Amino acid sequence: MKKFSSWILSIVLMLSLGVTTFAAGNDGAEIDIRKNVAPNYNYSRSINSDGAAVAVPEATVESEFVHKIDGKEFDIRRNVAPDNYQVRKSIDSDKATDQAVNQAAVADSKTTKDKSLLASMPTGGGEYPYNPSYWNDPANVFRANCYGYILNRIANDTSDPLAGYMFQPGYRTGNYYTSLTTSAIITAVKSDMADLGRTIRSSSYSETPGSNEYKVALVIAPGTDYHWYRQDSDGGWSHKPGLTNIDYRDASGNYISDPRTCDRNYSYANYSTWGGYYIISK
């Protein structure tokens, strides 16, 4: 009987040792390495083209858009001028530092699967073409923000990397907007229009602009920023976030057929307040 008991004990020990050989600890838990599924642990790895495991860097902040201005960080995709940034010495010099853009008559193409979106909102023939070849040129992109873009004007100063921030509602007359509200911004814009010999009036989705007019739209990120969109000659819409490239897509990357209903919640500002459609004369 003793021999039999010893034999049974030996078998149990052997089996136990055999299983233990394949057991490996992971974050305090055991995993049998004969299994093929990955252990339940956090790791950052992916497979590159030759099959080797490579480390995946953590997602970083969009630092290319964040600049230090006067010792403070500022996202240049916003349209308000940075704090303490002095873009003007006098109103008279301000008038001399911007010019109308003489854009190409042929618009650059937009990549969209649904061409019917292009004609979803009426046009009058006075709309500017969507022309990233001009606006996104490194020599031009910093010379206008969204307000300069809807006015189709650009700063003459090519030496100041923040030159486009001169375009603030009221910049032509000194009657600057006093708050991030629709009424304050439109009042300031009207003073600019009068000085430029142009007009702006409230509009609607369905109104057709005149042959020498085009439609724009105002939105506001409460307490943070304002933003403008403009309708292009193809019927769609485009915009210029701060001193960055113009684009015809919204925050979700979708084609903008109506700025009122498009996604306006960007990583740097949520333009949740609708400010209305307007028609500007050229």
Side-chain angles (χ1 to χ4, degrees):
M1 176 62 80
K2 287 183 178 179
K3 287 185 178 181
F4 180 75
S5 298
S6 298
W7 181 72
I8 293 296
L9 180 59
S10 298
I11 292 175
V12 171
L13 287 172
M14 288 174 63
L15 290 173
S16 176
L17 287 172
V19 172
T20 305
T21 302
F22 298 103
N26 177 62
D27 295 334
E30 286 192 347
I31 179 72
D32 193 317
I33 61 173
R34 292 171 294 184
K35 295 179 179 179
N36 298 291
V37 294
N40 185 22
Y41 69 102
N42 294 322
Y43 64 98
S44 290
R45 296 200 303 171
S46 67
I47 305 301
N48 64 15
S49 57
D50 61 5
V54 293
V56 177
E58 294 182 4
T60 58
V61 179
E62 297 166 287
S63 57
E64 64 177 303
F65 300 115
V66 179
H67 294 222
K68 266 201 170 179
I69 302 169
D70 293 335
K72 295 182 179 180
E73 289 191 342
F74 184 84
D75 195 315
I76 62 169
R77 290 171 294 186
R78 294 178 182 172
N79 300 286
V80 296
D83 290 344
N84 303 318
Y85 176 68
Q86 300 300 319
V87 293
R88 62 195 61 79
K89 293 183 179 179
S90 71
I91 298 302
D92 289 336
S93 65
D94 230 16
K95 293 180 181 180
T97 55
D98 75 290
Q99 63 186 32
V101 173
N102 183 19
Q103 291 184 263
V106 179
D108 291 341
S109 62
K110 296 177 180 177
T111 303
T112 175
K113 294 180 180 178
D114 191 353
K115 297 294 184 182
S116 66
L117 290 173
L118 296 173
S120 61
M121 195 178 294
T123 58
E127 294 77 16
Y128 295 107
Y130 177 72
N131 192 354
S133 296
Y134 178 86
W135 289 98
N136 297 349
D137 187 312
N140 298 327
V141 69
F142 67 92
R143 297 165 61 194
N145 61 358
C146 74
Y147 186 47
Y149 182 58
I150 67 156
L151 294 178
N152 201 51
R153 302 187 76 84
I154 196 166
N156 285 332
D157 188 354
T158 58
S159 64
D160 183 354
L162 301 176
Y165 281 123
M166 68 171 288
F167 294 106
Q168 301 299 321
Y171 82 102
R172 295 281 302 190
T173 62
N175 297 316
Y176 295 102
Y177 68 104
T178 55
S179 63
L180 282 173
T181 59
T182 299
S183 59
I185 291 172
I186 295 303
T187 296
V189 171
K190 285 181 177 179
S191 71
D192 290 335
M193 292 299 175
D195 192 71
L196 288 166
R198 303 169 67 175
T199 60
I200 182 171
R201 69 175 188 275
S202 182
S203 184
S204 64
Y205 178 97
S206 58
E207 182 179 1
T208 301
S211 60
N212 198 40
E213 299 176 327
Y214 58 98
K215 196 172 291 184
V216 298
L218 172 65
V219 295
I220 296 171
T224 302
D225 197 20
Y226 65 84
H227 192 44
W228 290 93
Y229 298 85
R230 84 177 192 189
Q231 191 177 27
D232 302 319
S233 56
D234 62 14
W237 291 73
S238 61
H239 61 134
K240 189 176 189 301
L243 308 188
T244 64
N245 291 348
I246 66 169
D247 201 349
Y248 60 88
R249 294 165 297 185
D250 65 8
S252 294
N254 296 318
Y255 179 88
I256 302 173
S257 58
D258 184 354
R260 185 169 191 172
T261 58
C262 74
D263 185 357
R264 308 192 302 266
N265 188 5
Y266 297 88
S267 61
Y268 53 90
N270 181 10
Y271 299 95
S272 57
T273 299
W274 173 247
Y277 303 106
Y278 299 88
I279 286 179
I280 292 178
S281 66
K282 297 175 78 172

